[in-house]
Amino acid sequence: MKLLLSLLCCTIILLSAKGQSYPDIVTYHTTQTATYGTKIKTNLGFVNGNHMPTIIIEGYNFGTGETIGLVINFYIYGDVFMRYNVASFGSFTPPMYLANEGGKVVIFMDSREYYQRFAVRAFAKGQADYAANYQGWTVADEAISPTATQKTRLTYQNKFPGQIVLPGNSLWTETNVGIGTTNPGSAKLAVEGLLSARKVKVTSVNPWPDYVFENNYPLMSLEATEEYIRTHKHLPQMPTAGEVATNGLDLGEMNRRLLEKMEEMTLHMIEMKKKINELEDKLRQQQQP
């Protein structure tokens, strides 16, 4: 009976040691500027199928003035890290790495900031996640060891279904982004105010007006163009001032139309040059003795 009770107690202890939250694994603070970065040396063995932890790092980075809020997940299988990612619930998002150092998992924060402080907690419910795995962790200003294996950079991944209201009367939904406006309408991106960019690429301009140089292109005569302008007060196939005020401009379409007019003008100039050359030839012939 005593043996049975002992076995039962041991079983209860083992079961209670698995699948727990670990609120105070390790804390770290420094008043210095990091030389290499911040390495968290865990007590998690680099063993296939043993761990599927959720590790939370939260604190403050005085150097950047940002809140630290990082959630890390990973699994080890086939002697590699897999199903790994990091999500941020703070504003500090440094490059994050996992590695195997001497059979233990290390977490490396590639940040050399001044005055950093944080605490580490975790939740685990793996087949071999025991309380001892979450004891004895340390943090140091160290680089990942050159002899470490499976150095893996974590991918940041955050998803926000629904809508996010941003500063400056801005909105982010699943289908539209509004900057300076909460009413983007049918636009994928709506900006109320100045939009500055080094380069804008429009990819859906069709057809490009090379057709102007085809032999059968119906080039409007200058006389007909003059009559059109006199009647409508704008160039043919160009929007009116009222239409632009109401509907705005499609940059790709407007560039197409402007190029079309430039090519038409080029054809007129070529024709005029031919006529000028003919007149000059006739004048020279008349001036010959």
Side-chain angles (χ1 to χ4, degrees):
M1 179 62 71
K2 289 183 179 180
L3 179 60
L4 180 60
L5 290 174
S6 298
L7 290 173
L8 182 60
C9 289
C10 290
T11 302
I12 293 173
I13 292 172
L14 287 174
L15 290 174
S16 64
K18 296 175 64 176
Q20 298 186 43
S21 294
Y22 304 97
D24 297 304
I25 300 175
V26 65
T27 61
Y28 176 74
H29 75 277
T30 179
T31 59
Q32 306 298 319
T33 300
T35 302
Y36 302 102
T38 307
K39 182 164 67 176
I40 302 172
K41 304 175 184 180
T42 80
N43 201 21
L44 297 169
F46 189 82
V47 181
N48 292 324
N50 272 19
H51 313 292
M52 195 183 295
T54 298
I55 300 169
I56 302 98
I57 306 170
E58 48 198 351
Y60 181 58
N61 188 305
F62 179 79
T64 61
E66 294 177 308
T67 299
I68 300 173
L70 302 170
V71 183
I72 297 171
N73 293 97
F74 65 86
Y75 188 61
I76 301 170
Y77 191 77
D79 295 325
V80 298
F81 291 107
M82 63 180 299
R83 309 293 286 183
Y84 51 82
N85 61 64
V86 56
S88 173
F89 59 92
S91 54
F92 187 58
T93 54
M96 300 292 296
Y97 294 85
L98 297 173
N100 170 21
E101 281 193 5
K104 298 289 186 180
V105 174
V106 297
I107 302 168
F108 181 68
M109 186 184 299
D110 191 1
S111 168
R112 297 164 183 82
E113 304 295 343
Y114 169 70
Y115 214 127
Q116 185 167 260
R117 54 176 59 195
F118 58 80
V120 180
R121 57 189 174 93
F123 169 78
K125 195 175 178 60
Q127 294 181 354
D129 270 315
Y130 298 102
N133 298 138
Y134 299 90
Q135 297 172 357
W137 291 26
T138 59
V139 184
D141 179 4
E142 294 180 8
I144 294 177
S145 171
T147 60
T149 62
Q150 295 302 318
K151 181 179 177 181
T152 303
R153 181 167 180 172
L154 298 175
T155 303
Y156 278 91
Q157 180 174 300
N158 286 68
K159 294 183 179 181
F160 301 96
Q163 67 179 31
I164 303 170
V165 178
L166 301 172
N169 194 37
S170 302
L171 181 71
W172 189 325
T173 73
E174 294 177 339
T175 56
N176 306 119
V177 177
I179 300 176
T181 176
T182 56
N183 185 27
S186 60
K188 293 292 185 181
L189 172 63
V191 180
E192 178 60 40
L194 176 65
L195 176 62
S196 178
R198 290 187 180 275
K199 187 176 181 180
V200 176
K201 184 176 182 180
V202 181
T203 59
S204 60
V205 182
N206 188 43
W208 197 242
D210 289 348
Y211 51 78
V212 173
F213 297 132
E214 295 293 335
N215 293 331
N216 61 348
Y217 181 73
L219 181 65
M220 182 181 287
S221 68
L222 289 177
E223 293 78 10
T225 302
E226 180 185 18
E227 181 62 29
Y228 187 94
I229 293 173
R230 184 182 296 113
T231 302
H232 300 283
K233 308 303 180 185
H234 64 89
L235 284 171
Q237 298 179 330
M238 298 297 284
T240 66
E243 290 171 340
V244 172
T246 301
N247 303 319
L249 285 177
D250 182 322
L251 289 179
E253 176 62 17
M254 181 53 61
N255 279 333
R256 185 192 70 79
R257 294 189 186 188
L258 288 173
L259 180 59
E260 180 184 80
K261 297 308 169 191
M262 183 179 294
E263 291 179 348
E264 290 176 350
M265 182 174 63
T266 300
L267 290 177
H268 282 301
M269 292 178 65
I270 291 172
E271 187 63 29
M272 291 175 65
K273 177 61 175 175
K274 289 180 179 179
K275 291 181 179 180
I276 291 172
N277 289 340
E278 290 177 1
L279 290 173
E280 288 178 342
D281 288 341
K282 290 180 179 179
L283 183 61
R284 278 192 296 268
Q285 291 174 7
Q286 293 175 358
Q287 292 176 345
Q288 289 178 357

